[in-house]
Amino acid sequence: MKRRSARQTLVVDGEKFEVSKRPGQRGTYDFTWLTGPNPGYGFTSAAHPPRALSVPELEASARDFLDQVDPTTGYIE
C-alpha cells in the first residue's frame, strides 16, 4: 500500500494549497492558501469520525473555503 506524504500540494479551481496532515490528529488537515492574497492564510479541515480524507474530499474542503472568501479582502468575513 502506498502512503501519502504528510504534505502535498493541491490545485483547486486554479488556486494552489499546501495541505499538511496534522501530526497525532488523524483526519485533521491544515491548508495554506499559496496563491491567495494574504501570505500564510488558510484553514483547517477535520473528518468526524477521524479518518484519512481522499483527494476529492480535500478538494471539496478547499472549494468550500474559497466559496466563503471575500474577493475584496481575501479573507473569510
Side-chain angles (χ1 to χ4, degrees):
M1 182 183 337
K2 192 174 177 182
R3 296 186 93 186
R4 266 194 280 188
S5 97
R7 289 178 189 243
Q8 63 184 0
T9 300
L10 193 66
V11 179
V12 177
D13 300 336
E15 298 295 335
K16 189 182 289 187
F17 295 87
E18 180 183 77
V19 183
S20 303
K21 291 181 184 179
R22 191 174 288 179
Q25 295 184 23
R26 186 170 183 230
T28 301
Y29 298 82
D30 295 312
F31 291 68
T32 302
W33 187 13
L34 300 175
T35 53
N38 304 304
Y41 190 62
F43 67 100
T44 298
S45 181
H48 298 286
R51 62 181 175 76
L53 294 179
S54 67
V55 171
E57 289 172 312
L58 294 171
E59 290 171 343
S61 291
R63 278 192 187 92
D64 289 344
F65 166 79
L66 291 170
D67 286 345
Q68 296 177 60
V69 171
D70 181 316
T72 303
T73 66
Y75 290 107
I76 292 176
E77 301 295 327

